[in-house]
Amino acid sequence: MKKRLPLILAATIGAVSLAGCSGGGGTGSETTTASGGSGTTTAASQTASGDKILRIAGGFDFKSCAEARYLVFDSLLQSDMWGQITPNLAESYDVSDDGLTYTFHLKKGVKYHDGTPFNADTAKFSLEYYQKNNSPGEDIESITAVDENTVEMKLKKYNDLILYDIATPTNWGGVPMILEKDVDSEGKITGYIGTGAFIFDDSTYESGVKATMKKNPDYWGGAPKVDGVEWDVVSDPNAMVVALESDQVDAIGIAEHHSSVPYVQVSSLKSKGYNVETDETGRYQVLEYNCTKAPFDDKNVRMAFNLAVDKELMVDTLFEGLTEAANVITSPDFKYGPKKVDKDYYKYDKDKAEKLLDDAGWKDSDGDGVREKDGKKLEVKLIVPNGEANADAVAVYVQSELAKIGATVDVQNLESSAASDASKKGEYDMYVHHSGCMPGVPGGINPGGKYHSSSSWTYSFHSDELDKMIESAFAESNEDSRQQQVAAIWQYLHEEAPCMPLYSVKKLSGMNPRLSGYHVGQNMFDMSMIKDMDMDTSK
Amino acid sequence: MKKLIIRRLLIGLLIMVVASLLSFTVLYVAPGNPAESILRERTGADPSYQDISLFMSNNNLDGNLFSKIAQWLVMAFRFDFGESLYTGEPVMAEFIRRLWATLQLTLISMGISTPLAIIIGVAAAAKKNKIFDHVSRILSLIGLSIPDFWLGLFLMIIFSRTLKWLPAFGYGSAANYIMPIITLCVAQIASLTRIVRATMLEKLSEDYIVTARGNGLKKKMILMKFAFRNSLGPIVTYLGASFGHLLAGAVVVETVFSWPGVGAFLVDAVYSRDYPVIQGFVMIIALFYVVINLVTDILYVYIDPRIRFEKG
């Protein structure tokens, strides 16, 4: 018998692994039924005390996420998805006639999580932290606490775009209302005592594993409906879907600004009864052109490429119609978006694309299917940075579309840092990227933005004329006049075809049907809507 | 023996420094900039030149390669690698926390897979070309060919989604260990079984085995006392290497199961060019390699009395 032990062991392992393998064929068609679960994992949302704890899958650690800040911190102002600014912790604000002095009138009776009152001193400290640690802070001349509930900010030069930062409660490019004790000796914000809807519990925080928050019952905007939030780190997007389906989390995708829920999983999640929210954030995926060298130094070639790709078909086939094709540079819904430009400006028109290339001198004279000019073939390099959503599929699609008009695209996948380095050095013809969205001025038409010559996108389209238009528009304090100038900028830019817009990148979140009250946030980072969500633990 | 250990430790120290220095220099020279990657991830927008230079000066990233190396040397000798640029947490504290998570996976999966693989490998060699041998060879081939991420997700779909027995992510409770360990064990058992079988067969064909057989020794005696004992060298070498490999290389399993280990964190650090983390982690992982190799070498002496290091 003793002799046999190894054999028996080996046979058992073999049988187990065989059983595992033979199960593989069945996974494709299997369906999950809730009744099948007599298992050991319990729905943690129903805790012993009956508390409603909303469990969110977070792709990253709580403390390294800008998104998480929206739960704990508040900002003086708020902006919606399209750039309209509304009051928040500042009940109202005044702007002086010269546009250089902002006076914020603070809400009274607001307290930080530790009981410290929120007042002009704490707001001043928070604004000064921003001034020291963010580059637009250089435009700030002084910050003064006028009285208990009034703060005055003086600027050196007119820059009302700084309000977008003041409307953002993250400490990277935003102004969260913090306390002095939140800042460590190195000047970093490591404390999480804010005025927000949820109170962070440092004692249960595990780096890279989870974080818990309980509701702030005294929240000035009304106490959250759930009793707490649990942030569970789930790094793999497919594991996130499994975690939702096995009822270990209640919501996925909500904690990442990029779309972490795989587009291909959407229809399956919906068919199983999960709610899938697709939020339009105004961010478009685009292909940047290197406008400083042939062939894209010629605007006719850029325009031809823009017209040669059937984006509608791409969206239908690659993304099952989950999103919309983009035929303008950025969303017209933005406050400073291209509202007056024809929505179909770059609509697919292969004949026109071919004619434009013919007229530009790119012809297929040797009949090999590839156009050439002055002995040079129409061959371009398209860089796909690793991690750019859906970019691989999109690149291949664009490659096949452009082949139809006689252009060869060499697709190169690069690690994201290496890719962005290539963009800095101009070592690309086309580059998969995205337009901006809130907070900030989307579409790159602000001073320092992509289409301004001071931008880090040195090889994008720039001109002296455009620089002047941009600088003049954003130095204009009259809103009507600024809107007219912005409209002129967009008209000018669209004629220049500085990039190829592809489709609107939507933020997807999947939710257990027991959750209700989800609404779109103020930008793709914002997850503060959780305070308005409720859960029916009986489901 | 003492001399050997001291000499090897000194060489090990050099290896650690060189490994960390090399990895830093290569990444420093490679394209990419931590300020840019980190700012882009956090703000979701392209950082301006002003943002980048402010981040660089706030985080002490300015200066050329040589001044950076000098700074690094000071840090390395104090064994304090500063704070992660990305998380702002001290590198050493982060490493120790994550090392513990990874070590548990590594030790448990090696503890399970090693005896199993040895048993299967030895049995397969003893029954060469019999049905058990064929089955174990096919299974180990399958085990080797299955990618970690596929197996991990497959287990997750079966045990988390369908059966709802095991959690798909998490760290701390016993149930969290099962799937990551199975995933690690499959490949580990598969490759070690093949090594054990191959080494055993090689030893079994040697002259002293024939002699032993001729002398009428029992089969079991020949197998265990002669062949297996002599096969231990390559097996221990392999185990030492795979221990080090598991320590830094369980990246895929750590990512799939959201395990807060060393590997996944290090890979993220490479993407965001988080120099302090890379330097610190590489150096300490190198230390582990050095220690494991030393232990392996010392073990040789006990496994095979013919090996003596004094003269070398």
Side-chain angles (χ1 to χ4, degrees):
Chain A
M1 188 63 212
K2 216 176 153 194
K3 226 193 249 174
R4 291 242 139 126
L5 193 64
L7 263 179
I8 293 166
L9 261 176
T12 321
I13 295 159
V16 168
S17 26
L18 263 182
C21 294
S22 64
T27 48
S29 59
E30 82 190 322
T31 50
T32 37
T33 47
S35 58
S38 60
T40 53
T41 55
T42 49
S45 54
Q46 298 146 2
T47 56
S49 55
D51 282 354
K52 292 189 271 190
I53 307 294
L54 203 163
R55 300 156 305 163
I56 306 167
F60 301 93
D61 173 56
F62 177 84
K63 285 196 176 177
S64 55
C65 270
E67 287 84 345
R69 304 291 204 268
Y70 284 82
L71 296 171
V72 182
F73 295 109
D74 283 320
S75 45
L76 287 179
L77 305 173
Q78 241 183 337
S79 146
D80 71 1
M81 197 65 97
W82 310 110
Q84 302 295 342
I85 286 185
T86 48
N88 203 37
L89 271 182
E91 264 174 346
S92 62
Y93 67 97
D94 310 316
V95 192
S96 64
D97 290 338
D98 60 4
L100 293 179
T101 308
Y102 289 86
T103 313
F104 299 101
H105 305 286
L106 310 182
K107 253 190 180 58
K108 291 172 190 139
V110 176
K111 282 195 162 62
Y112 283 88
H113 298 154
D114 67 345
T116 312
F118 165 73
N119 56 30
D121 288 333
T122 59
K124 176 175 185 278
F125 176 80
S126 307
L127 281 162
E128 281 172 348
Y129 182 85
Y130 167 81
Q131 184 186 12
K132 269 181 250 146
N133 292 287
N134 292 272
S135 63
E138 288 165 17
D139 288 350
I140 299 176
E141 167 90 43
S142 66
I143 297 153
T144 5
V146 180
D147 60 40
E148 179 74 14
N149 298 298
T150 315
V151 184
E152 196 181 80
M153 177 179 80
K154 276 204 167 79
L155 298 183
K156 289 177 194 155
K157 60 171 194 182
Y158 185 74
N159 176 9
D160 70 333
L161 298 178
I162 209 165
L163 290 182
Y164 284 132
D165 284 1
I166 292 176
T168 306
T170 80
N171 48 307
W172 302 292
V175 194
M177 289 298 117
I178 51 171
L179 285 174
E180 208 168 336
K181 59 174 122 168
D182 286 331
V183 181
D184 69 10
S185 57
E186 305 250 331
K188 289 186 177 128
I189 298 182
T190 48
Y192 281 77
I193 301 168
T195 59
F198 293 95
I199 303 172
F200 173 66
D201 181 0
D202 213 4
S203 68
T204 57
Y205 167 72
E206 287 176 66
S207 163
V209 182
K210 70 169 185 175
T212 55
M213 282 145 277
K214 52 180 194 288
K215 76 169 172 188
N216 178 359
D218 306 319
Y219 185 55
W220 58 271
K225 296 188 173 102
V226 294
D227 298 301
V229 173
E230 185 179 304
W231 176 293
D232 293 310
V233 177
V234 186
S235 9
D236 183 76
N238 291 302
M240 273 190 193
V241 176
V242 175
L244 179 70
E245 291 185 345
S246 55
D247 198 19
Q248 287 181 72
V249 294
D250 301 301
I252 60 173
I254 218 167
E256 287 84 43
H257 62 274
H258 57 270
S259 203
S260 56
V261 180
Y263 278 26
V264 290
Q265 299 270 15
V266 173
S267 54
S268 129
L269 277 175
K270 278 185 176 163
S271 72
K272 287 172 190 159
Y274 293 95
N275 296 330
V276 179
E277 302 284 348
T278 47
D279 289 345
E280 171 97 46
T281 64
R283 171 176 275 203
Y284 287 177
Q285 193 159 63
V286 302
L287 299 187
E288 307 290 354
Y289 292 126
N290 182 341
C291 299
T292 62
K293 63 176 188 184
F296 296 125
D297 53 354
D298 181 348
K299 79 170 176 187
N300 290 317
V301 178
R302 301 195 295 261
M303 184 66 83
F305 274 48
N306 278 10
L307 300 179
V309 176
D310 188 346
K311 287 142 276 188
E312 277 77 11
L313 184 67
M314 177 183 84
V315 173
D316 283 344
T317 48
L318 286 185
F319 310 134
E320 299 175 12
L322 207 66
T323 178
E324 285 93 46
N327 284 313
V328 286
I329 295 170
T330 193
S331 171
D333 293 331
F334 286 123
K335 188 175 175 189
Y336 298 118
K339 294 177 195 300
K340 301 231 165 102
V341 177
D342 178 10
K343 258 189 12 256
D344 291 329
Y345 201 88
Y346 299 129
K347 200 171 172 65
Y348 177 60
D349 188 341
K350 187 167 164 249
D351 297 338
K352 196 171 168 197
E354 287 182 314
K355 186 170 181 304
L356 277 168
L357 284 181
D358 287 341
D359 294 348
W362 291 94
K363 289 183 177 135
D364 181 13
S365 43
D366 56 6
D368 66 348
V370 180
R371 291 171 188 264
E372 55 272 331
K373 183 182 177 182
D374 307 330
K376 236 188 134 253
K377 289 203 176 294
L378 187 51
E379 285 173 346
V380 293
K381 176 159 94 176
L382 169 61
I383 289 186
V384 180
N386 196 341
E388 182 77 37
N390 308 315
D392 295 324
V394 165
V396 174
Y397 181 83
V398 167
Q399 188 182 40
S400 72
E401 288 284 271
L402 293 175
K404 292 178 195 160
I405 58 157
T408 307
V409 178
D410 170 23
V411 177
Q412 286 189 8
N413 281 280
L414 282 182
E415 184 259 333
S416 53
S417 290
S420 95
D421 222 55
S423 82
K424 292 266 173 315
K425 293 183 184 144
E427 291 161 356
Y428 68 100
D429 296 310
M430 293 196 285
Y431 188 101
V432 187
H433 197 51
H434 43 256
S435 65
C437 66
M438 299 312 297
V441 176
I445 57 152
N446 53 316
K450 202 189 331 178
Y451 298 121
H452 188 262
S453 59
S454 71
S455 144
S456 54
W457 280 90
T458 315
Y459 300 88
S460 282
F461 176 80
H462 301 130
S463 74
D464 290 343
E465 196 184 349
L466 183 60
D467 276 3
K468 284 199 192 98
M469 287 167 89
I470 288 174
E471 284 152 21
S472 147
F474 288 95
E476 174 61 65
S477 57
N478 181 294
E479 191 57 33
D480 290 337
S481 163
R482 180 188 285 190
Q483 283 293 354
Q484 279 172 16
Q485 296 190 42
V486 166
I489 294 174
W490 282 124
Q491 193 58 41
Y492 175 91
L493 256 183
H494 277 80
E495 284 163 18
E496 290 291 342
C499 66
M500 183 198 295
L502 294 166
Y503 65 97
S504 166
V505 183
K506 292 198 172 172
K507 173 170 170 162
L508 300 188
S509 352
M511 266 163 271
N512 191 295
R514 73 169 70 94
L515 299 186
S516 58
Y518 177 85
H519 61 82
V520 65
Q522 55 170 318
N523 55 53
M524 59 181 188
F525 286 89
D526 183 18
M527 52 192 296
S528 63
M529 77 292 279
I530 285 178
K531 69 175 185 290
D532 302 322
M533 288 170 71
D534 201 354
M535 57 200 297
D536 179 356
T537 45
S538 65
K539 278 190 190 170
Chain B
M1 197 67 165
K2 240 183 211 164
K3 256 191 203 160
L4 160 84
I5 294 175
I6 292 169
R7 208 188 63 202
R8 290 290 299 268
L9 278 177
L10 285 176
I11 295 175
L13 211 64
L14 190 71
I15 291 174
M16 281 161 59
V17 173
V18 170
S20 179
L21 196 61
L22 262 183
S23 62
F24 169 67
T25 315
V26 166
L27 267 178
Y28 192 89
V29 177
N33 172 320
E36 219 187 310
S37 352
I38 292 171
L39 287 172
R40 179 170 293 128
E41 176 61 31
R42 285 191 175 154
T43 61
D46 295 320
S48 66
Y49 276 129
Q50 289 102 305
D51 293 329
I52 294 172
S53 64
L54 191 70
F55 185 95
M56 302 275 282
S57 68
N58 279 354
N59 287 283
N60 202 13
L61 287 166
D62 299 320
N64 60 25
L65 179 61
F66 294 104
S67 71
K68 295 278 108 187
I69 289 178
Q71 266 178 26
W72 173 88
L73 276 174
V74 174
M75 281 178 146
F77 280 111
R78 288 166 45 207
F79 225 66
D80 167 18
F81 299 94
E83 288 178 351
S84 155
L85 298 175
Y86 194 78
T87 63
E89 301 275 315
V91 172
M92 274 311 278
E94 184 85 53
F95 184 84
I96 290 165
R97 194 166 44 235
R98 288 180 173 272
L99 177 70
W100 175 231
T102 300
L103 259 186
Q104 293 175 63
L105 279 192
T106 310
L107 290 175
I108 299 175
S109 57
M110 286 198 65
I112 295 173
S113 59
T114 311
L116 280 177
I118 289 177
I119 292 168
I120 301 172
V122 170
K127 312 253 174 200
K128 194 189 169 195
N129 288 332
K130 301 266 171 56
I131 186 86
F132 179 85
D133 186 28
H134 292 312
V135 171
S136 76
R137 274 164 68 197
I138 291 170
L139 285 181
S140 63
L141 202 62
I142 293 173
L144 270 181
S145 325
I146 297 177
D148 281 358
F149 74 89
W150 186 91
L151 181 63
L153 281 173
F154 174 74
L155 291 173
M156 208 184 268
I157 286 169
I158 300 277
F159 293 106
S160 302
R161 199 181 73 182
T162 310
L163 298 171
K164 299 189 198 290
W165 287 353
L166 296 172
F169 67 88
Y171 168 65
S173 84
N176 292 127
Y177 290 79
I178 300 175
M179 291 195 288
I181 284 175
I182 295 179
T183 313
L184 285 175
C185 277
V186 166
Q188 188 69 14
I189 293 176
S191 53
L192 186 58
T193 306
R194 290 170 68 82
I195 287 169
V196 173
R197 180 183 174 274
T199 333
M200 282 292 286
L201 286 178
E202 190 194 316
K203 302 290 170 200
L204 281 172
S205 66
E206 286 194 19
D207 289 347
Y208 61 84
I209 300 282
V210 180
T211 315
R213 276 206 191 114
N215 286 342
L217 284 178
K218 276 190 184 161
K219 207 175 173 193
K220 188 183 156 197
M221 176 93 161
I222 294 172
L223 210 57
M224 299 315 291
K225 273 248 152 102
F226 290 75
F228 181 63
R229 186 80 206 260
N230 279 304
S231 309
L232 274 176
I235 294 173
V236 168
T237 312
Y238 174 80
L239 284 177
S242 69
F243 182 80
H245 180 73
L246 277 177
L247 214 55
V251 185
V252 176
V253 172
E254 284 174 8
T255 308
V256 170
F257 293 104
S258 315
W259 198 263
V262 174
F265 194 73
L266 183 57
V267 169
D268 286 345
V270 170
Y271 278 130
S272 55
R273 304 284 187 269
D274 195 343
Y275 298 134
V277 172
I278 298 166
Q279 288 161 13
F281 276 38
V282 168
M283 185 147 175
I284 311 172
I285 291 169
L287 168 74
F288 270 87
Y289 267 93
V290 167
V291 171
I292 291 161
N293 273 319
L294 183 62
V295 171
T296 320
D297 285 355
I298 294 169
L299 274 178
Y300 280 160
V301 179
Y302 293 96
I303 291 166
D304 190 343
R306 286 169 298 183
I307 297 176
R308 285 285 173 268
F309 286 106
E310 269 82 19
K311 283 175 194 162

